[in-house]
């Protein structure tokens, strides 16, 4: 630990040298700078460096190493697990670095590490291009991609890491490196699911795909119709093309124009059928869902950027998320999943979601550390609520969902969907067979485990 005088001198130098802003406890703006999306996370970093460019990131990391500080990396998004902050740590905050540069001829895009899905999708949309993004516009691109990356387009275009062409990284030594299939290939492999364990990703280059049209069918059913809706959706996905996706979910009826007044504030079952194509294709795919008796519907073309905003929720609420990946979805699993909605906290922002896998997800490269690729369905209960008094029941409900569907679980998990659930779950999210290889990559690039505010991979 550095002496107070050394720390004071180093902090003064960082304030002088950084193009961006520096915040320390007691500074005006410190509390605002340290606040994260999840209100359950309340940490007090020693220093927050809001970097303006790659050189700032280098300066910040070298400052942290000089003072022997652990380093947390804040991208552009949610940090539901709290990995973007740490008590007594240096936070390298990338949110000022959010530029997106599209190369339409190469069908590729360079995205800075602090960009959100909104930044990415708005930049690619004018070209009729897109890549797999998260299911909310406020998701940060960097953490999302490096953690694997599943979204509305994954059945059509693969997981986000399947579209990763290169990463620009600042290492634990404060050096700038590039990783791709030819340059630092072992590091590049580890970045396909290993998260922020190996450095600060200042930019990522992603493959783009043609997406001239996108369309959706959003239908609301009474909760008692949930099992029929899930079974029908299961058949829609089984018989449909890879361009078909979406989810079935239980949620609190939102106060939107198309939602009948008697459903607002109550538990409802919703089905979202997405199509990476036009309305005619969508209606063919979604016909069985539309044939089921339902209480409300929105059907037709919708810009992908708008779909990305459909599940957006404001920051500052309390969050607890988890997931299970299922080997199959027999009728017994459908009934068990639907039954879990009974204890869901309502009315809150909580959602009980079932996503299909398959398609380009299953067809993607088997060698990456994303062990959930072969699962057929994903169960994602995420609790979102406002009052601390609801903490116990909301967390208990999320854990109860996991227990309810565990008989059909593959044991694998997508780490971006969970918080701190212990080292066994981290191994489940990386693949037990990948742990040794990832640990060796960690030893090469971060032997002191400087980047440990994450689903941590210890150096081996």
């Amino acid at each position: 630990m550095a002496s107070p005088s050394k720390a004071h001198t180093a902090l003064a130098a960082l304030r002088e040298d950084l193009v961006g802003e520096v915040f320390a406890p007691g500074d005006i703006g410190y509390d605002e700078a340290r606040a994260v999306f999840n209100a359950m996370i309340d940490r007090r970093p020693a220093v927050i460096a809001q970097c303006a460019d790659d050189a700032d990131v280098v300066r910040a990391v070298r400052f942290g190493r000089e003072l022997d500080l652990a380093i947390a990396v804040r991208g552009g998004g949610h940090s539901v697990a709290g990995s973007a902050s740490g008590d007594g740590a240096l936070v390298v905050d990338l949110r000022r670095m959010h530029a997106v540069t599209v190369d339409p001829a190469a069908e590729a895009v360079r995205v800075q590490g602090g960009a959100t899905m909104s930044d990415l999708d708005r930049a690619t949309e004018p070209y009729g291009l897109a890549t797999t993004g998260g299911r909310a516009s406020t998701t940060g691109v960097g953490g999302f991609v490096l953690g694997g990356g599943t979204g509305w387009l994954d059945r059509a275009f693969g997981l986000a890491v399947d579209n990763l062409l290169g990463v620009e990284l600042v290492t634990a030594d404060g050096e700038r490196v590039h990783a791709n299939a030819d340059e630092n290939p072992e590091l590049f492999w580890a970045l396909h699911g290993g998260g922020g364990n190996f450095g600060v990703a200042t930019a990522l280059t992603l493959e783009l795909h043609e997406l001239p049209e996108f369309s959706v069918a959003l239908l609301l059913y009474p909760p008692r119709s949930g099992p029929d809706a899930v079974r029908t959706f299961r058949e829609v996905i089984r018989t449909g093309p890879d361009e078909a996706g979406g989810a079935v979910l239980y949620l609190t009826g939102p106060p939107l124009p198309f939602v009948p007044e008697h459903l607002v504030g109550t538990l409802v079952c919703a089905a979202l059928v997405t199509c990476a194509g036009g309305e005619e294709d969508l209606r063919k795919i979604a016909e069985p869902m539309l044939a089921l008796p339902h209480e409300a519907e929105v059907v037709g073309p919708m810009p992908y950027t708008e779909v990305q905003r459909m599940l957006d929720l404001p920051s500052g609420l309390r969050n607890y998320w988890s997931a299970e990946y299922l080997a199959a979805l027999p009728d017994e699993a459908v009934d068990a999943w639907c039954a879990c909605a009974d204890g869901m906290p309502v009315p809150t922002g909580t959602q009980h979601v079932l996503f299909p896998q398959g398609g380009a997800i299953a067809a993607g490269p088997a060698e990456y550390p994303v062990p959930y690729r072969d699962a057929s369905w994903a169960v994602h209960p995420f609790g979102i609520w406002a009052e601390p008094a609801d903490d116990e029941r909301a967390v208990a409900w999320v854990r109860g969902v996991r227990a309810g569907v565990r008989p059909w679980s593959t044991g694998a998990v997508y780490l971006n969907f969970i918080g701190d659930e212990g080292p066994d779950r981290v191994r489940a999210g990386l693949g037990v067979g990948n742990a040794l290889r990832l640990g060796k990559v960690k030893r090469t690039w971060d032997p002191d485990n400087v980047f440990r505010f994450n689903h941590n991979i210890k150096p081996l």
Side-chain angles (χ1 to χ4, degrees):
M1 196 70 172
S3 67
S5 61
K6 180 179 179 181
H8 179 78
T9 300
L11 180 59
L14 184 66
R15 292 186 192 274
E16 180 69 25
D17 294 342
L18 212 73
V19 176
E21 294 280 338
V22 176
F23 296 93
D27 288 350
I28 296 173
Y30 170 78
D31 284 333
E32 181 181 357
R34 73 183 181 89
V36 294
F37 177 82
N38 185 356
M40 296 184 78
I41 308 298
D42 183 21
R43 295 177 182 158
R44 301 189 65 82
V47 179
I48 301 168
Q50 293 188 340
C51 300
D53 53 27
D54 287 19
D56 268 4
V57 176
V58 170
R59 294 183 189 104
V61 170
R62 290 179 178 175
F63 162 83
R65 296 309 308 272
E66 180 185 356
L67 297 186
D68 195 27
L69 295 173
I71 300 175
V73 182
R74 181 166 190 171
H78 295 152
S79 185
V80 169
S83 57
S85 189
D87 289 325
L90 164 68
V91 173
V92 177
D93 187 337
L94 303 178
R95 285 177 294 168
R96 293 177 177 225
M97 299 170 58
H98 52 78
V100 179
T101 306
V102 181
D103 184 343
E107 295 193 339
V109 59
R110 180 181 181 271
V111 187
Q112 285 192 303
T116 64
M117 289 301 155
S118 179
D119 297 318
L120 171 58
D121 296 334
R122 283 188 288 108
T124 61
E125 184 179 44
Y127 301 98
L129 298 170
T131 193
T132 300
R135 295 178 176 91
S137 71
T138 51
T139 301
V141 176
F144 167 79
V145 173
L146 298 181
T150 168
W152 301 127
L153 294 173
D154 53 14
R155 282 175 42 81
F157 300 152
L159 297 171
V161 285
D162 299 342
N163 295 282
L164 184 61
L165 301 175
V167 182
E168 297 164 43
L169 204 72
V170 174
T171 69
D173 291 331
E175 300 295 330
R176 295 171 65 176
V177 301
H178 191 268
N180 58 30
D182 300 315
E183 190 175 358
N184 296 310
E186 189 69 359
L187 172 62
F188 189 53
W189 170 82
L191 293 169
H192 285 72
N197 272 280
F198 310 102
V200 184
T202 57
L204 303 91
T205 301
L206 302 166
E207 182 181 358
L208 295 173
H209 305 266
E210 293 184 5
L211 189 69
E213 294 182 280
F214 198 77
S215 43
V216 302
L218 175 62
L219 301 103
L220 299 185
Y221 305 90
R224 66 179 180 277
S225 299
D228 287 340
V230 175
R231 290 183 176 93
T232 305
F233 184 71
R234 180 183 61 186
E235 188 67 10
V236 164
I237 294 298
R238 188 187 70 81
T239 59
D242 291 352
E243 289 75 17
V248 181
L249 63 157
Y250 288 88
L251 74 165
T252 298
L256 297 174
F258 75 95
V259 179
E261 187 175 349
H262 71 278
L263 295 182
V264 174
T266 70
L267 182 69
V268 298
C269 178
L272 176 66
V273 182
T274 63
C275 176
E279 181 177 357
E280 184 178 350
D281 291 334
L282 167 74
R283 287 190 175 274
K284 289 178 183 176
I285 293 166
E287 183 178 1
M289 302 301 301
L290 291 164
L292 280 179
H294 51 279
E295 304 235 12
E297 67 175 60
V298 175
V299 183
M302 183 179 292
Y304 174 63
T305 53
E306 293 298 319
V307 179
Q308 286 287 69
R309 288 197 279 268
M310 287 178 67
L311 296 182
D312 281 2
L313 287 163
S315 63
L317 296 174
R318 304 176 77 77
N319 287 253
Y320 185 81
W321 301 6
S322 196
E324 288 288 343
Y325 278 72
L326 309 187
L329 189 68
D331 287 346
E332 296 83 0
V334 171
D335 293 339
W337 180 80
C338 291
C340 290
D342 292 343
M344 187 175 137
V346 175
T348 66
T350 297
Q351 297 177 13
H352 179 35
V353 190
L354 182 68
F355 296 122
Q357 295 254 111
I361 304 170
E367 67 268 19
Y368 296 147
V370 283
Y372 47 87
R373 185 185 295 281
D374 295 334
S376 63
W377 292 85
V379 171
H380 180 32
F382 61 103
I384 304 176
W385 65 100
E387 298 301 328
D390 289 331
D391 286 3
E392 186 174 345
R393 73 171 180 136
V395 171
W397 174 77
V398 171
R399 291 173 176 169
V401 173
R402 281 193 59 206
V405 300
R406 195 166 292 139
W408 300 276
S409 174
T410 67
V413 67
Y414 173 44
L415 292 177
N416 283 352
F417 274 172
I418 73 170
D420 182 2
E421 297 183 2
D424 288 345
R425 285 282 272 175
V426 174
R427 284 189 288 272
L430 299 170
V432 176
N434 296 315
L436 179 61
R437 184 176 174 185
L438 287 162
K440 289 179 178 178
V441 178
K442 178 76 168 180
R443 183 183 63 196
T444 299
W445 295 99
D446 184 15
D448 299 320
N449 205 12
V450 171
F451 301 109
R452 58 180 178 269
F453 293 99
N454 45 43
H455 291 106
N456 194 232
I457 299 166
K458 288 186 169 58
L460 294 178

